[in-house]
Amino acid sequence: QSALTQPRSVSGSPGQSVTISCTGTSSDVGGYNYVSWYQQHPGKAPKLMIYDISKRPSGVPDHFSGSKSGNTASLTISGLQAEDEADYYCCSYAGSYSWVFGGGTKLTVL
Amino acid sequence: QVQLQESGPGLVKPSETLSLTCTVSGASISSNYWSWIRQPPGKGLEWIGYIYYSGDTNYKSSLKSRVTISVDTSKNQFSLKVSSVTAADTAVYYCARGSIAGFDYWGQGTLVTVSS
């Protein structure tokens, strides 16, 4: 149950697109179609942004999208907005009712 | 509207047991999975364990010997106990509703500091 690997930080200008990667193994990301992504603003609880690799909960803007290839999942934020600046965490189901999170990525909107 | 609220002591002495309760409103605890997740100051999220209303549980392997999660369906609550705590257990503890797909509702979090 090692943490999934995410870049520590990414950045982009308003209107640009950024992609955050999340690399695991065949025991988690690669083995199940159950990757989720969370946005966390300072001092706040995480918020679910993407589930089942690419599905958006009601109310999440459509400029957030997710995908997966092999053992790596990705979150793409297109048309960056100032309010998108936050920490982002991926999470994968790892079998036997266990879950594993990524180490988190700090997104800076320049 | 589903709401979760953590409660419990904010300060625990080393070697003692950390105890937290999560009160669920707007949803019956007799559905979905319910998890505890923690975040040490300045660090990332760590899944601790889950419980189903039936009492089925599973815990992160590295914490399994020290963690117990229980459920009280009559109070719509579930609880976390972590024994033999050290400074490494200092964190914001979140309770969350989830399924295999992910965690859709979270409590606001409660900071627990381990210190003498």
Side-chain angles (χ1 to χ4, degrees), chain A residues 2 56 77 90:
Chain A
S2 298
R56 280 179 290 105
I77 309 170
C90 62

Side-chain angles (χ1 to χ4, degrees), chain A residues 1 34 38 40 52 89 96-97, chain B residues 39 58 61 94 100-101 103:
Chain A
Q1 288 178 330
Y34 299 122
Y38 303 85
Q40 186 180 36
D52 286 357
Y89 294 90
S96 301
Y97 297 99
Chain B
Q39 184 172 35
N58 193 28
S61 55
Y94 295 100
I100 286 177
F103 306 99

